[in-house]
Amino acid sequence: MPIPLTGTLIQLIELQSTLVLMMAAGVVLAKAGVITKAGRQVLSDVTIRIFIPCNILKSFLGAMDLSVFRSCSVLFALAVALELLYVALNRFLYRRYVPERRNILQYTTLASNGGFLGTAISEGLYGDLGLLYNSIFLIPMRIFMWSVGLSYFTAPPSKKEVIRKVFLHPCLVGLYLGLFFMLTPFRLPGLLDSTVRSMAACTTPMVMVITGSILADMDPRHFLDRDSLYFSFIRLVGLPLITYLCCLVLPLDSTAKGIAVLMSGMPGASTTVLFAARYDSDAPFATKCVVVTILLSVLTIPAWALILA
């Protein structure tokens, strides 16, 4: 059942306020020099390698019924279709840009922040079921970002490299373990179960503190230009609108629809900046695209959530 509009609004205000305060803590810590750039990288690695995988695993530990399995399969098929559509759209959406900017825009159209910021949003609005759907929906994105996405910056990676980057990614390892416990009668021992749940509880605070530390290095006055706003419209409005229209005709429950639309409207992936710097693209422009979409998503994510209510 969809959450009533009033309940959704209150829930969103509480969630957004909590996330903003967590980001503010990251800003303060970064400004004070407690979180340095090197320290931020360490925190990001720990979050991606431990906390988010535990969060994904936790989402599979509850009881599942047939309708959830059906929604997972439809979500996965939808996510594959959307990634293929994004590849096609990339051929003409950014033709007027120079190669150093075009590859950035193409990559971050394929890859969002759904696996990082999206984790906090999914859990905050939809609980463990939202995390489960989020994990399934992001599988195709992880495959495309390390294969087609990487090819925008350099030669297409080898199959061995794609397998290593995609199928051995810590978040997908958490997914594999979760599927194992969901599809078999086996259960985590009590001590391991409580450890996983405790580690998973660290995910949202860590994600938001790291995001705040990134924003601390930015001056928003220098980021709002025509190109960044054009991309932000595509990333935050156009792509989730396509997903929303698709969901109207698909057999998905309200939580699955919400996850699909909101994850399609997540800000640009932070890995965009890393790839741009590594492969001699326009790294400042990549940073601008990521930061502007993060800032504007404070408005667009609640707007989409209200539309979905």
Side-chain angles (χ1 to χ4, degrees):
M1 290 287 292
I3 303 172
L5 184 60
T6 303
T8 300
L9 183 59
I10 295 173
Q11 188 177 6
L12 279 169
I13 291 173
E14 292 177 350
L15 176 60
Q16 288 290 111
S17 299
T18 301
L19 296 181
V20 167
L21 288 175
M22 289 179 182
M23 283 194 291
V27 172
V28 171
L29 291 172
K31 292 290 187 182
V34 177
I35 300 179
T36 62
K37 289 185 178 180
R40 182 167 64 220
Q41 184 61 53
V42 172
L43 291 177
S44 298
D45 288 343
V46 170
T47 301
I48 292 171
R49 293 176 182 275
I50 297 180
F51 295 137
I52 293 180
C54 284
N55 215 19
I56 292 171
L57 174 56
K58 185 197 75 168
S59 70
F60 284 85
L61 298 180
M64 301 293 166
D65 57 33
L66 184 61
S67 64
V68 172
F69 284 107
R70 186 183 301 114
S71 290
C72 285
S73 62
V74 175
L75 269 180
F76 182 82
L78 172 62
V80 172
L82 289 173
E83 289 294 325
L84 291 172
L85 175 62
Y86 299 160
V87 172
L89 291 175
N90 277 339
R91 294 183 178 275
F92 68 87
L93 280 177
Y94 312 114
R95 286 183 298 182
R96 67 183 179 88
Y97 291 91
V98 297
E100 291 78 12
R101 289 195 170 192
R102 186 189 310 125
N103 52 17
I104 290 168
L105 295 169
Q106 290 173 326
Y107 173 82
T108 200
T109 296
L110 285 182
S112 75
N113 216 318
F116 204 59
L117 181 61
T119 300
I121 299 295
S122 299
E123 184 174 28
L125 284 179
Y126 299 107
D128 284 349
L129 182 59
L131 281 174
L132 169 62
Y133 286 156
N134 179 57
S135 303
I136 298 297
F137 188 75
L138 292 180
I139 293 173
M141 187 198 77
R142 297 189 191 281
I143 295 173
F144 275 76
M145 68 186 287
W146 290 111
S147 53
V148 178
L150 189 57
S151 72
Y152 290 136
F153 293 93
T154 184
S158 65
K159 291 182 180 179
K160 182 178 180 180
E161 181 69 8
V162 171
I163 291 173
R164 186 179 71 84
K165 289 287 189 180
V166 174
F167 296 103
L168 297 181
H169 190 283
C171 293
L172 287 184
V173 172
L175 175 68
Y176 306 149
L177 291 173
L179 287 171
F180 172 79
F181 287 112
M182 185 177 71
L183 300 174
T184 68
F186 296 101
R187 293 294 178 264
L188 279 176
L191 180 60
L192 285 179
D193 185 272
S194 62
T195 300
V196 167
R197 293 180 186 277
S198 296
M199 298 285 270
C202 300
T203 304
T204 296
M206 288 293 291
V207 167
M208 302 318 299
V209 167
I210 293 168
T211 302
S213 70
I214 294 172
L215 294 178
D217 293 338
M218 310 301 174
D219 185 349
R221 295 175 298 178
H222 298 160
F223 285 87
L224 294 179
D225 62 19
R226 185 178 62 181
D227 291 343
S228 62
L229 290 175
Y230 170 70
F231 172 71
S232 296
F233 179 81
I234 292 174
R235 176 77 261 176
L236 303 177
V237 179
L239 301 187
L241 177 59
I242 292 172
T243 305
Y244 178 75
L245 294 175
C246 292
C247 288
L248 292 178
V249 298
L250 292 175
L252 293 170
D253 60 61
S254 59
T255 298
K257 290 178 181 178
I259 291 297
V261 174
L262 292 177
M263 293 309 103
S264 298
M266 283 291 111
S270 55
T271 49
T272 308
V273 180
L274 301 179
F275 283 160
R278 180 175 180 182
Y279 296 110
D280 299 320
S281 293
D282 192 339
F285 177 69
T287 304
K288 180 186 298 186
C289 289
V290 171
V291 172
V292 170
T293 53
I294 289 176
L295 293 174
L296 293 180
S297 69
V298 175
L299 300 175
T300 58
I301 290 173
W304 278 114
L306 289 175
I307 291 171
L308 292 162

